[in-house]
Amino acid sequence: MCGIAGFVQRHGLANTCVVDAQLRRLSHRGPDSSGLFAKGRGAVGQTRLAIIDLVTGDPPITTQKGSLGVVLNGEIYNYQELREVLDDAGHTLSTRCDTEVIVHLSEHLSPVEVARRLTGMFAFAVWDSTREQLILGRDRLGKKPLYYYASPHSFVFGSEIKAVLAHPDVPLRLNPMAIPAYLGFGYVPTPHTFFEGVKSVPPGHVLMVGGDLTVSLEPFWVPQVPRQDGVTPLDLTLDEAATEVRKRLTEAVERRLVSDVPLGAFLSGGVDSSAVVALMAAASSTPVRTFTIGFEGDAFFDERPFARVVAERFATDHTEFVVSPQAVDLVERLVWHHDQPFGDSSAVPTFMLSELTRGHVKVALCGDGGDELFAGYERFAAGAVIPGLERVPVAFRRAAARALARLPAEAGRGSVGKAQRFVNASCMGLPDAFRSWISYIPDELVAALAPGASRWGVTDYRRIWEDSARARPLDRLLLLNLRTYLLDDLLPKVDRTAMAHALEVRSPFLDHELVEFALRLPAATKLRGLSLKRCLKRAVTDLLPPGLLNRPKHGFGVPLDRWFRKDLSSYVGGMLGSGARIRQHLEPTAVDVVLAEHRNGHSDHGHVLWTLLTLEVFLRQHDW
């Protein structure tokens, strides 16, 4: 894990002082060393978190002739196999690091083919001073971030937006169209950002910048599901699918154990992280280091007891941490590391878990992606039946929604609350129903907060949905989730919070070969009725402690409703009150209504308030 940055300009020699300034903004991502390669009109640089090849792997990595330099953020898991291929082809490699394979591949392969050969999580930059060409590449799922700014005078890139803004040619301007999109999703959808002109390189793409600063984007990987562009489903029974999943997950875990520094694992006590820990324990000759986090005074959000059961089963070296309401004080640091407002409050415990973990290891494996691949959320089950409900007249569904809405406010929690949300959403149809279940602010409240604002984010979301029009509903939902929520919520959350502490987090479930296999599995192997993750659970049944497979799922959430109504009521009221910056961009009366309804218990607006709070902090940080 590292941070990369650089630029190419239309005229003149590249100023290395500018790259140095960019890299200083990324020092948290790579505290072990830094270096840059500058020649002619371009320069690339890297801050390094040393994981593999601690002796000879410092940046930059260049060709023997010194005309081409490469910087890398992430890990290339198949670099040893690629080294053997390059050795056989007559290349002379002088280090043991994974970055060097990109240098040699770039000498004779196209940018798309270079990226296609790589297995891992990565964002790389290649500056070819002879051809005067800059090449950027981002991994298939978007695990590693990569941002850029293009103008007629210069092209600037960086692992984080702050590194892009450090270049003097990049203006600091708010993108006002980002605000309604953020309210609707809790993030600004790729490739857009809160900063005018700054964009994100799409996952699975390479970006090429020519000598005249012409920019071109080309995909090297596109996720597909059965019935989409001729893709056929795998003809496997549940047991056959489970056997293959176990085999592929085991290989994915073992690939991610390659490290020259200590590593461990995040452990929540859920199926996914527990399976990863079990497979790590089987492959390791020493106890696995495991780390978990819980919440003070709220058992519903505390998974420490479940994690302890798993830790005892596999005799791990286990460490716990507890979060209190004061953890919300981290909001300033969280927004700084994200560079943008971020509506997912589970960034708080993830940030603190990463800080705890980094005190013991440099690398941690996690269970992220299991729910996304194998339909582990209840919303997948609900979404799969929406098309069938569309045969029921809308009038009947709306009548049911009105009846449920008349229940007491206390009934809006638990199973009754789920029924209310499901019936309301069924009137919307897919994909808007699915979107409503992952949004932190409902559509009607977004409209009240930002009346008349463009809803381009919703339009783009529907366009992604239509890309898979010929596929079955569950497959379409899994693909939609992969290209939106996973990309713009889960992955940035883990990257920013972990790299804030120079911790590398690896996700075996997001191995692209496992992803491709899972996307082609028959829908019934993943979901049947309310039975979630059937195939994955069958695959790891013999590994996990009894009772773990079927316990109710707990999200990695934060008790915001209680915090903002009690412990932190005055704090959130002061931040969002009459002097708040958000009132210059949103409808002030709507903000007051949200605060009042939450304070008096009429509604639980904890997630809404968190979304507004991080927006307020962001606006204050930039004096907007």
Side-chain angles (χ1 to χ4, degrees):
M1 291 294 196
C2 307
I4 64 174
F7 63 91
V8 58
Q9 58 198 34
R10 182 174 289 276
H11 302 293
L13 297 178
N15 185 344
T16 58
C17 293
V18 174
V19 186
D20 284 334
Q22 290 185 278
L23 295 181
R24 284 196 295 272
R25 301 288 186 93
L26 300 174
S27 60
H28 54 283
R29 297 184 73 93
D32 295 330
S33 67
S34 67
L36 61 89
F37 171 77
K39 197 164 189 177
R41 298 188 289 117
V44 296
Q46 176 184 332
T47 62
R48 187 183 187 213
L49 177 64
I51 303 296
I52 295 172
D53 186 8
L54 308 184
V55 178
T56 63
D58 283 346
I61 305 297
T62 65
T63 54
Q64 289 180 324
K65 295 180 180 179
S67 62
L68 185 151
V70 176
V71 290
L72 170 69
N73 171 24
E75 299 289 348
I76 308 301
Y77 298 126
N78 66 332
Y79 79 99
Q80 292 173 327
E81 296 95 317
L82 291 172
R83 286 177 62 91
E84 294 176 3
V85 172
L86 291 166
D87 281 335
D88 292 342
H91 291 262
T92 301
L93 285 80
S94 58
T95 77
R96 294 189 300 106
C97 74
D98 50 355
T99 307
E100 191 174 10
V101 301
I102 302 176
V103 170
H104 291 274
L105 290 172
S106 298
E107 288 185 295
H108 64 276
L109 294 177
S110 70
V112 167
E113 190 56 34
V114 170
R116 195 171 283 142
R117 296 283 182 96
L118 306 178
T119 296
M121 53 179 182
F122 55 83
F124 67 81
V126 179
W127 169 237
D128 187 333
S129 63
T130 301
R131 298 177 184 174
E132 293 197 318
Q133 183 183 48
L134 176 67
I135 300 164
L136 306 181
R138 190 179 182 197
D139 67 67
R140 293 165 177 83
L141 292 165
K143 286 173 274 190
K144 294 289 94 190
L146 190 55
Y147 296 94
Y148 69 94
Y149 172 85
S151 78
H153 310 290
S154 59
F155 178 94
V156 185
F157 73 91
S159 290
E160 295 181 7
I161 295 174
K162 60 177 67 67
V164 177
L165 296 173
H167 192 288
D169 286 354
V170 181
L172 180 62
R173 290 197 294 258
L174 176 68
N175 174 13
M177 292 184 63
I179 293 178
Y182 167 70
L183 295 178
F185 291 92
Y187 55 78
V188 182
T190 297
H192 306 284
T193 73
F194 259 92
F195 299 88
E196 194 170 288
V198 179
K199 293 186 177 181
S200 175
V201 176
H205 279 68
V206 292
L207 183 151
M208 293 154 284
V209 184
D212 60 354
L213 300 191
T214 300
V215 176
S216 60
L217 267 171
E218 189 171 345
F220 66 88
W221 186 82
V222 178
Q224 294 179 313
V225 293
R227 295 190 178 187
Q228 184 184 23
D229 297 328
V231 179
T232 57
L234 296 168
D235 185 17
L236 297 174
T237 66
L238 179 60
D239 285 335
E240 290 170 339
T243 298
E244 277 296 313
V245 167
R246 173 70 166 269
K247 173 178 175 291
R248 292 166 185 267
L249 180 59
T250 300
E251 293 171 349
V253 169
E254 291 175 349
R255 271 196 288 269
R256 285 155 180 79
L257 295 180
V258 176
S259 173
D260 292 334
V261 297
L263 53 77
F266 291 164
L267 178 60
S268 69
V271 171
D272 305 335
S273 64
S274 299
V276 169
V277 167
L279 294 172
M280 289 177 69
S284 177
S285 58
T286 58
V288 176
R289 301 293 304 265
T290 55
F291 306 89
T292 192
I293 202 161
F295 293 92
E296 188 177 78
D298 202 320
F300 180 80
F301 290 93
D302 194 347
E303 294 194 302
R304 285 178 297 162
F306 303 106
R308 285 184 208 127
V309 171
V310 177
E312 291 170 3
R313 169 72 173 263
F314 298 104
T316 72
D317 183 355
H318 190 57
T319 307
E320 296 181 349
F321 193 62
V322 180
V323 177
S324 68
Q326 285 69 39
V328 80
D329 293 343
L330 294 173
V331 65
E332 295 273 354
R333 294 173 66 191
L334 285 170
V335 172
W336 187 86
H337 281 289
H338 276 90
D339 288 320
Q340 304 185 85
F342 192 62
D344 189 344
S345 61
S346 65
V348 171
T350 309
F351 186 92
M352 301 188 77
L353 178 60
S354 297
E355 186 174 31
L356 160 76
T357 303
R358 185 59 177 87
H360 302 271
V361 298
K362 260 189 172 182
V363 180
L365 274 65
C366 73
D368 288 353
D371 291 318
E372 283 67 34
L373 293 189
F374 299 102
Y377 300 119
E378 289 180 348
R379 59 177 176 264
F380 288 122
V385 302
I386 289 287
L389 283 179
E390 289 176 350
R391 291 191 289 268
V392 178
V394 174
F396 284 101
R397 284 179 274 156
R398 288 176 176 166
R402 288 193 295 270
L404 285 168
R406 285 195 290 269
L407 291 172
E410 293 76 11
R413 305 176 179 90
S415 58
V416 174
K418 290 179 181 179
Q420 289 174 333
R421 291 189 293 274
F422 174 73
V423 174
N424 286 331
S426 72
C427 302
M428 304 166 68
L430 293 177
D432 290 319
F434 192 78
R435 178 176 56 81
S436 73
W437 296 326
I438 60 174
S439 298
Y440 301 110
I441 304 181
D443 279 357
E444 60 272 17
L445 187 49
V446 172
L449 288 165
S454 168
R455 301 301 303 277
W456 63 265
V458 174
T459 301
D460 285 0
Y461 189 84
R462 291 169 181 166
R463 188 178 299 119
I464 294 172
W465 171 255
E466 291 304 321
D467 287 346
S468 61
R470 293 193 298 272
R472 295 183 183 277
L474 179 61
D475 290 331
R476 297 183 74 186
L477 291 173
L478 289 167
L479 184 60
L480 178 69
N481 191 75
L482 200 73
R483 294 180 59 188
T484 57
Y485 180 74
L486 175 74
L487 170 64
D488 288 321
D489 188 309
L490 296 187
L491 294 180
K493 176 185 69 177
V494 173
D495 176 81
R496 304 310 189 278
T497 56
M499 292 311 296
H501 306 289
L503 175 72
E504 175 173 303
V505 178
R506 301 174 177 179
S507 308
F509 281 104
L510 296 178
D511 182 282
H512 83 268
E513 293 179 356
L514 177 58
V515 171
E516 290 173 344
F517 177 78
L519 289 178
R520 292 185 61 198
L521 285 174
T525 65
K526 304 171 192 173
L527 173 69
R528 176 171 289 173
L530 293 177
S531 180
L532 309 173
K533 288 200 290 198
R534 299 179 70 226
C535 175
L536 178 59
K537 290 179 178 179
R538 183 72 61 92
V540 299
T541 295
D542 62 310
L543 290 176
L544 304 184
L548 189 71
L549 289 171
N550 296 313
R551 76 176 182 87
K553 181 176 179 58
H554 284 240
F556 197 37
V558 178
L560 290 176
D561 291 336
R562 177 173 63 82
W563 284 5
F564 288 157
R565 187 171 288 122
K566 296 181 180 178
D567 308 83
L568 301 170
S569 177
S570 59
Y571 168 74
V572 73
M575 288 291 292
L576 302 180
S578 58
R581 299 293 179 93
I582 59 170
R583 292 171 178 265
Q584 300 173 30
H585 302 274
L586 303 178
E587 176 57 49
T589 302
V591 176
D592 289 333
V593 169
V594 169
L595 286 167
E597 288 184 347
H598 188 79
R599 190 181 300 114
N600 62 30
H602 181 269
S603 297
D604 286 334
H605 287 316
H607 291 294
V608 178
L609 292 172
W610 174 266
T611 304
L612 297 178
L613 179 63
T614 59
L615 176 58
E616 173 66 19
V617 169
F618 169 77
L619 294 172
R620 293 188 185 194
Q621 287 181 350
H622 294 284
D623 198 24
W624 279 333

